[in-house]
Amino acid sequence: MPKGSNVPVPTTALRVELGRRSGPGVPDVDASALLLVGGKVRSDADFVFYNQPAHSSGAVRHEGKRDEGGRVTDTLVVDLARVEQSVETVVLAASADGGTFAAVPDLYIEVRDAAQDAVVARFDSAGATVETAFVLGEFYRRQGAWKFRAVGQGYGSGLEGLATDFGITVDEPQQAAPATAPAPVAPPPSSSPPPPSSAPVRLTKVTLTKAAPSVSLTKQGGTSGALRVNLNWQVRKQFSGWAGKMGRSVATHTDLDLDLCALYELTDGSKGVVQSLGNAFGALHRPPYIHLDGDDRTGALESGENLTVNLDHKQAFRRILIFVTIYEGARSFADLHATVTLRPQHGAPIDFSLDECTVPSTVCALALITNTGSDLVVRREARYLVPERGVSPQRTVDHAYGWGMNWTPGRK
């Protein structure tokens, strides 16, 4: 589509993919959406992005990134049938982290019918110079129907400037102040307008990479309250499993069952595992102070698999290893695109993507949290492990990290 043109789109769930080519020196790019009434948001809750990944109406959610063959995509799902009647426009934006869009090759936005996986609109953005944020496109109502417009409006003031322009209140503190208030609970989906935000939106985040794999929670001010760990994933329609000489294993999205787990070692010497296998869901207010919320098969952001660590008891932790296993539905992590997000109650969220799996792995070590006595450090592992014949994924990750536990078979 040329800039400024428009096209009708179906009033259904649409996948909006913001894509670019990756490479050395290419800034990270994040997708976001704003729901507008009269050209402005009604409150800060109408801003959907990496730190606020779902709208209360259920109409818009941020699903995270995947990196495949040098092409990075960040995905939003917009269900136009669930957009409130008062909302006239859903703005689709991109922001660059660590540079300008002049250094971002092959930037585009593509709209797909989520059910049919068919492209309904695409806009390739070119000619960027000093811009650090873009409104790439928008959905807007016209005579009871929805259309998509290719916009291509740039901002030199980044995501903060773009968000502020649409009425968002932004707060960018250097370090979050300690607090004792409980973590906010996400409201259930509703057709009513979102309530005004009680605090300004925070845009800070930490992305871990191979080159910079660790971050200090202490320096981020994130050493108290609840630390929520989320794993979300996307798979292709045909999940190839380990697609080498072993042939191809095919599974649908709902057939795949991944389990988020945690090995823990406490300062009193006790060790254990938190996992759905054997109903070992843990506990938040007594040892091990780690709790697995449930067992999810969708992979959707904010559902997916979630695990909570009670950092008010950080002095009890020596180390925690977060890992994921394939319980059923595939023979490896091949063709799975997963994002790990750690959201401390205080301080910036931490996220990273898993690398492409090229081995017949059924267990992946995700992140290691270590208490050094003076610091609480999160390290990206993103390490695929291959169990030996007859050895469980849990025993495999235990051996790789020297936990030294005794294992017995378990069932859900």
Side-chain angles (χ1 to χ4, degrees):
M1 295 176 61
K3 181 177 178 179
S5 62
N6 62 75
V7 63
V9 294
T11 305
T12 185
L14 301 171
R15 293 182 62 82
V16 180
E17 293 189 352
L18 190 154
R20 62 174 174 87
R21 193 154 40 86
S22 62
V26 177
D28 193 17
V29 175
D30 296 299
S32 58
L34 300 104
L35 289 78
L36 307 183
V37 177
K40 297 286 185 179
V41 297
R42 296 163 295 178
S43 76
D44 294 346
D46 281 338
F47 186 27
V48 177
F49 69 119
Y50 48 79
N51 279 358
Q52 194 165 272
H55 192 260
S56 61
S57 67
V60 184
R61 70 178 185 270
H62 179 244
E63 289 208 332
K65 292 187 177 73
R66 71 175 187 265
D67 189 339
E68 181 181 13
R71 172 69 64 185
V72 181
T73 56
D74 197 5
T75 301
L76 297 161
V77 172
V78 181
D79 189 346
L80 294 176
R82 300 182 68 176
V83 175
E84 300 134 309
Q85 286 298 316
S86 61
V87 175
E88 302 157 345
T89 310
V90 179
V91 166
L92 307 166
S95 57
D97 185 10
T100 69
F101 277 101
V104 178
D106 299 344
L107 178 68
Y108 70 89
I109 186 171
E110 188 170 86
V111 180
R112 290 177 171 268
D113 185 312
Q116 304 297 325
D117 196 32
V119 177
V120 296
R122 178 180 170 119
F123 170 53
D124 292 88
S125 181
T129 55
V130 299
E131 296 87 355
T132 49
F134 265 101
V135 173
L136 290 178
E138 64 182 15
F139 296 117
Y140 65 98
R141 294 185 196 265
R142 181 61 55 86
Q143 297 178 344
W146 284 95
K147 290 187 174 184
F148 172 80
R149 177 185 289 120
V151 178
Q153 177 185 351
Y155 290 75
S157 49
L159 183 59
E160 180 177 358
L162 183 150
T164 302
D165 196 44
F166 288 104
I168 298 293
T169 305
V170 174
D171 179 27
E172 291 290 77
Q174 292 299 311
Q175 179 168 312
T180 57
V185 178
S190 169
S191 60
S192 59
S197 297
S198 59
V201 171
R202 297 189 60 201
L203 302 182
T204 52
K205 68 169 184 172
V206 177
T207 298
L208 300 181
T209 63
K210 286 182 179 179
S214 300
V215 64
S216 165
L217 284 176
T218 305
K219 293 179 181 179
Q220 293 289 326
T223 56
S224 64
L227 171 68
R228 190 172 180 86
V229 183
N230 172 264
L231 173 72
N232 72 87
W233 63 88
Q234 300 171 21
V235 295
R236 296 173 182 168
K237 283 193 171 181
Q238 289 195 334
F239 190 102
S240 67
W242 173 239
K245 295 181 180 179
M246 296 170 59
R248 299 183 70 84
S249 167
V250 178
T252 66
H253 193 288
T254 54
D255 290 333
L256 180 63
D257 186 5
L258 301 185
D259 286 342
L260 188 63
C261 314
L263 283 172
Y264 63 84
E265 182 180 1
L266 304 184
T267 52
D268 64 5
S270 59
K271 301 176 182 179
V273 64
V274 174
Q275 60 179 5
S276 59
L277 197 66
N279 294 319
F281 289 97
L284 203 56
H285 301 291
R286 55 182 172 81
Y289 307 111
I290 304 168
H291 182 254
L292 181 64
D293 293 4
D295 187 20
D296 181 81
R297 293 193 178 201
T298 67
L301 194 66
E302 292 304 291
S303 54
E305 294 271 320
N306 290 282
L307 184 145
T308 305
V309 180
N310 188 346
L311 295 182
D312 288 337
H313 295 273
K314 61 181 177 296
Q315 71 280 357
F317 299 122
R318 183 169 291 160
R319 58 177 178 159
I320 304 169
L321 180 69
I322 312 297
F323 66 101
V324 59
T325 67
I326 296 176
Y327 183 70
E328 62 181 20
R331 289 183 290 181
S332 89
F333 286 104
D335 290 343
L336 177 143
H337 310 286
T339 301
V340 181
T341 306
L342 296 87
R343 298 183 186 278
Q345 186 172 332
H346 312 294
I350 301 159
D351 66 11
F352 60 88
S353 297
L354 298 185
D355 301 320
E356 184 178 354
C357 180
T358 58
V359 295
S361 169
T362 55
V363 57
C364 180
L366 301 176
L368 183 65
I369 304 172
T370 305
N371 188 349
T372 68
S374 59
D375 200 358
L376 204 58
V377 177
V378 176
R379 188 178 75 196
R380 174 189 188 269
E381 296 293 312
R383 179 183 176 188
Y384 294 107
L385 302 170
V386 181
E388 297 180 2
R389 182 180 296 273
V391 178
S392 69
Q394 289 84 352
R395 190 186 297 270
T396 299
V397 75
D398 177 320
H399 179 75
Y401 286 85
W403 233 263
M405 291 172 55
N406 295 317
W407 296 91
T408 58
R411 299 179 64 183
K412 289 188 181 183

